[in-house]
Amino acid sequence: MRIALTTYSTKPRGGVVHTLALAEALVDAGAEVSVWTLGRGGDRAFFRPVDARVDVRVVEFAAREGEDVGARILRSVDVLREGFDPSGYDVVHAQDCISANAVGRCVRTVHHLDTFTTPELAACHERAIVEPYAHVCVSRAVAEELRAGWGLEPLVVPNGVDAAPFAAAAAGTAGARAARARWRERFGRYVLAVGGIEPRKGSTDLLRAVALLRERLPDVQLVVAGGETLFDHRDYRAGFEALARELGVHPHVLGPVAQDELPSLVAAAGAMGFLSTKEGFGLAAMEALAAGVPLVVRELPVLREVFDGAAAFARDPAGAADALHAALTTAPDTGAAAARRARGAELVARHTWAAAADAHLALYRSLAAAEPVR
């Protein structure tokens, strides 16, 4: 079976991480897979090496000075549409609204639902839900949103997690200990957020939570990794920085972290704060569990579905501060901390990309049997 997976970027965002991991698991299962993407900012390859058996197609997307978000989205769709060649594939599977608008008849994974005020984005989002002929969601919570809002019946296939690098980074080997020590020498004891500074990640709520936490544990730092995005969050970022000054917190904002350095950054954290206001699954949080790092997440249906029993849940910054305090001051092998750690290990073991690939292949075959893709 020949499969085209399409995504909108080469950068390390959750949907892109998902696309590459799924592609590699599909070729392990015997499929022929191409991954199509836009190469932004001169990129000719993805943020990490990709298995040589995966056919990577990067369509050049040149930057334009002064282009607003709406125009950039429309041009992204046009450029990918012009560059994409659908011939020869049994299935075309889009992983985001931009590529779903660009590639024509496709299966679509809806990772999470957004509410956009920019007209171009709102229209792109709607078309990418109603026009695909089959849908996949990575959690039951998002699937239920599609049922309630559009009457769709998506297949639920949870993400896998590439657990091995994170488990290795948390191990007791000399190399792993040294890598963790380098981060701790740089930042001391820290709470980690992965995903950058943006509204959907609940960044200002986590900042407030860390400010409250520092009233009890003044040495704790906030470290923020990641953050590559299509959208313009400069106003939100400016508000975040102003709030940080007001609260007396000085976050360490790293931007995208190299693939081979991220596991040790995660494993060295005292806790991960994951206060997203919208998520489809929470892959970065699952990676924290793979490293045995205590996890504090926002009380959302999707995060309760995925992480119940493995994380502490919080409804607001005060609750998050309390949960982070407990995570940083409780021995990991006692009481509720030990139970969460064990549950986290169980979840990580269950969520494999091989299982995700098998479920996708079963879907593709059923679609091909019902109505072969032209």
Side-chain angles (χ1 to χ4, degrees), residues 215-280:
E215 293 176 5
R216 289 177 277 180
L217 301 174
D219 66 307
V220 173
Q221 303 295 308
L222 173 60
V223 176
V224 183
E228 183 67 38
T229 179
L230 274 178
F231 306 117
D232 185 352
H233 296 307
R234 281 177 294 183
D235 290 346
Y236 185 85
R237 176 73 175 265
F240 178 92
E241 292 169 351
L243 181 61
R245 291 191 294 271
E246 177 186 331
L247 296 173
V249 180
H250 304 286
H252 303 273
V253 182
L254 306 182
V257 174
Q259 183 74 5
D260 59 349
E261 295 180 356
L262 181 62
S264 60
L265 175 68
V266 174
M272 176 176 281
F274 198 79
L275 301 188
S276 297
T277 61
K278 290 185 179 181
E279 281 292 343

Side-chain angles (χ1 to χ4, degrees), residues 4-6 8 18 91-114 116 123-138 142 146 150 152-155 360 363-364 367:
L5 301 181
T6 65
Y8 71 101
H18 169 106
V91 173
V92 176
H93 188 160
Q95 298 293 327
D96 54 83
C97 75
I98 288 172
S99 65
N101 275 259
V103 299
R105 188 172 189 273
C106 66
V107 178
R108 165 81 198 283
T109 292
V110 181
H111 292 272
H112 66 273
L113 292 168
D114 281 304
F116 294 115
C124 176
H125 185 265
E126 182 70 13
R127 285 193 302 269
I129 292 174
V130 301
E131 292 184 0
Y133 70 100
H135 300 78
V136 178
C137 291
V138 294
V142 176
L146 287 185
W150 288 270
L152 300 172
E153 291 295 334
L155 175 68
H360 279 82
L363 171 66
Y364 300 155
L367 294 171

Side-chain angles (χ1 to χ4, degrees), residues 189-191 213 217 220 269-273 292-296 311-312 319-333 336-337 340-341:
R189 182 164 54 163
Y190 61 92
V191 172
L213 173 65
L217 301 174
V220 173
M272 176 176 281
V293 172
L295 180 61
V296 176
D322 289 342
L324 289 168
H325 182 269
L328 292 168
T329 58
T330 303
D333 56 351
R340 286 176 182 147
R341 191 181 180 93

